[in-house]
């Protein structure tokens, strides 16, 4: 009987590390990149996927824990130290995969990486970081996610950037904005008032309504594409309904695991739906 609580505690510690070390969010971003490969009908590149996965881990951990570390290197918390070591190892893998990719990917990564870095690091000694500029945080994250999951796959296969690309890019920005809203609502009581997050400015109910509107626009934009397949319409509709359900789940919005695991798992399930349809139909 004593072994069971210990085992459960160990499993919980592993699960918490999985979330805290940004492995889960990396899988979510990787899944969105996988969806892009499916939508554009292009072959996936293991080097690009490896870079996206490990790059997201490095990026998110730097944002989450770097601002608390002295000069971004010295970490006093032992648990965060483990995450820091894991991040350094991930950086090595990300660099390895990046070196296998085309120079266009390098330049795009530099731009997206600078945006991510400036999100946490002041760009001038007397200035604040981008995160502290009221209301800007959510849009930076959405743009960077879209860059990693739409722009990089297109550049990797050297596809021309046309109308359908911009529709897909805009849809991806809107999708990420909707996915961020539950986190904004959950963290509203802890966020600094100067951040001017959507729930702080609009209130929870209006923020939820805005999220629902963005989810509907995300779906309707599908019909503006030059090439659209019935499967894409059905799967986007299914995703839109899931997003709306999440946005109206008021009581669960304050639950750490509901938001950090289940909401961030939505892209993983969405990619799974594409994979399942392609494999069996």
């Amino acid at each position: 009987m004593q072994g069971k609580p210990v085992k459960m505690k160990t499993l919980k510690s592993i699960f918490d590390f999985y979330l805290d070390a940004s492995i889960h969010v990396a899988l979510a971003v990787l899944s969105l990149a996988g969806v892009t490969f499916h939508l554009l009908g292009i072959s996936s590149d293991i080097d690009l996927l490896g870079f996206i996965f490990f790059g997201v881990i490095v990026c998110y951990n730097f944002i989450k824990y770097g601002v608390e570390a002295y000069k971004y290197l010295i970490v006093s918390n032992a648990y965060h130290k483990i995450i820091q070591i894991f991040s350094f190892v991930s950086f090595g893998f990300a660099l390895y995969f990046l070196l296998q990719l085309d120079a266009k990917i390098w330049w795009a990564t530099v731009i997206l990486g600078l945006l991510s870095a400036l999100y946490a690091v002041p760009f001038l000694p007397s200035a604040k970081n981008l995160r502290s500029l009221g209301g800007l945080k959510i849009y930076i994250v959405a743009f960077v996610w879209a860059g990693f999951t739409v722009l990089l796959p297109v550049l990797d296969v050297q596809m021309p950037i046309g109308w359908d690309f911009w529709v897909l890019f805009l849809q991806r920005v809107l999708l990420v904005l909707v996915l961020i809203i539950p986190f904004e609502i959950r963290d509203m009581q802890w966020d600094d008032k100067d951040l001017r997050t959507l729930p702080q400015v609009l209130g929870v109910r209006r923020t939820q309504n805005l999220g629902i509107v963005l989810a509907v626009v995300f779906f309707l934009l599908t019909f503006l594409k030059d090439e659209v397949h019935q499967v894409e319409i059905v799967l986007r509709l299914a995703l839109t309904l899931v997003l709306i359900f999440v946005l109206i789940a008021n009581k669960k919005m304050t639950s750490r695991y509901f938001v950090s695991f289940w909401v961030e798992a939505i892209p993983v399930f969405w990619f799974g739906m594409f994979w399942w349809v392609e494999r069996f139909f």
Side-chain angles (χ1 to χ4, degrees), residues 10 23 40 47 83 85-86 95 105 117 124 175 192 199 201 204-205 209 213 219 241 252 266 272 275:
T10 301
I23 300 173
L40 298 180
D47 291 321
I83 293 177
I85 295 172
F86 176 72
L95 185 60
I105 303 291
L124 291 174
L175 171 58
D192 191 304
V201 175
V204 173
R205 179 60 63 85
N209 292 338
V213 170
F219 172 69
L241 295 176
K252 292 185 178 181
I266 289 175
W275 178 86

Side-chain angles (χ1 to χ4, degrees), residues 3 37 43 46-48 73 78 89 93 97 100 104 107 114 119 160 173 179-180 198 200 208 263-264 277:
F37 284 114
S43 300
I46 188 64
D47 291 321
L48 178 63
L73 291 174
V89 173
F93 280 107
F97 285 115
Q100 315 305 313
K104 290 181 180 179
W107 286 111
L114 282 175
Y119 178 81
V173 170
L179 290 173
I180 293 175
L198 287 176
Q200 290 174 340
Q208 290 172 308
V263 173
E264 281 192 344
V277 169

Side-chain angles (χ1 to χ4, degrees), residues 144-156:
V144 172
W145 273 51
F148 268 92
T149 63
V150 178
L151 177 61
L152 294 192
V154 168
L155 292 178
D156 185 58

Side-chain angles (χ1 to χ4, degrees), residues 1-271:
M1 294 296 292
Q2 291 181 348
K4 189 174 181 179
V6 173
K7 184 178 180 180
M8 291 301 297
K9 186 176 180 180
T10 301
L11 291 175
K12 183 179 182 302
S13 298
I14 294 173
F15 182 67
D16 286 340
F17 179 82
Y18 168 77
L19 295 178
D20 295 337
S22 303
I23 300 173
H24 191 53
V25 69
L27 284 176
V29 177
L30 191 67
S31 296
L32 288 179
V35 169
T36 299
F37 284 114
H38 277 277
L39 290 175
L40 298 180
I42 55 182
S43 300
S44 58
D45 182 349
I46 188 64
D47 291 321
L48 178 63
L49 295 177
F51 167 68
I52 291 174
F53 178 75
F54 290 106
V56 169
I57 290 175
V58 174
C59 180
Y60 263 76
N61 287 346
F62 176 76
I63 290 173
K64 286 196 294 186
Y65 306 110
V67 293
E68 299 174 0
Y70 177 66
K71 294 184 178 179
Y72 301 94
L73 291 174
I74 302 174
V75 181
S76 58
N77 185 294
Y79 181 62
H80 290 172
K81 186 68 176 179
I82 296 174
I83 293 177
Q84 184 188 53
I85 295 172
F86 176 72
S87 301
F88 278 125
V89 173
S90 296
F91 176 77
F93 280 107
L95 185 60
Y96 167 78
F97 285 115
L98 179 61
L99 292 176
Q100 315 305 313
L101 300 171
D102 188 80
K104 290 181 180 179
I105 303 291
W106 299 0
W107 286 111
T109 299
V110 168
I111 296 172
L112 295 172
L114 282 175
L115 277 175
S116 301
L118 294 178
Y119 178 81
V121 183
F123 43 88
L124 291 174
S126 59
K128 296 181 178 181
N129 54 36
L130 293 182
R131 187 177 188 272
S132 62
L133 297 180
L136 194 58
K137 162 192 163 184
I138 189 172
Y139 306 107
I140 296 170
V141 175
F143 183 85
V144 172
W145 273 51
F148 268 92
T149 63
V150 178
L151 177 61
L152 294 192
V154 168
L155 292 178
D156 185 58
V157 297
Q158 301 181 4
M159 283 186 67
I161 295 179
W163 173 254
D164 281 1
F165 166 83
W166 291 113
V167 174
L168 181 59
F169 190 90
L170 179 57
Q171 284 183 302
R172 193 58 50 82
V173 170
L174 293 177
L175 171 58
V176 178
L177 287 175
V178 175
L179 290 173
I180 293 175
I181 285 176
F183 291 87
E184 298 262 288
I185 294 175
R186 183 198 65 181
D187 297 339
M188 183 174 66
Q189 56 183 319
W190 299 294
D191 280 338
D192 191 304
K193 300 298 181 182
D194 292 335
L195 289 178
R196 294 184 59 78
T197 63
L198 287 176
Q200 290 174 340
V201 175
L202 301 177
V204 173
R205 179 60 63 85
R206 288 182 179 178
T207 300
Q208 290 172 308
N209 292 338
L210 175 61
I212 292 173
V213 170
L214 292 178
V216 173
V217 173
F218 158 80
F219 172 69
L220 293 178
L221 282 173
T222 306
F223 300 98
L224 293 182
K225 295 177 64 178
D226 291 332
E227 294 185 17
V228 59
H229 301 286
Q230 185 176 3
V231 170
E232 179 181 352
I233 296 174
V234 172
L235 294 184
R236 285 195 185 278
L237 177 60
L239 176 61
T240 301
L241 295 176
V242 170
L243 293 173
I244 292 174
F245 170 78
V246 168
L247 288 168
I248 62 178
N250 291 317
K251 294 183 179 180
K252 292 185 178 181
M253 203 79 76
T254 58
S255 168
R256 179 199 173 195
Y257 292 119
F258 176 76
V259 176
S260 296
F261 180 76
W262 291 110
V263 173
E264 281 192 344
I266 289 175
V268 179
F269 290 123
W270 196 38
F271 170 73

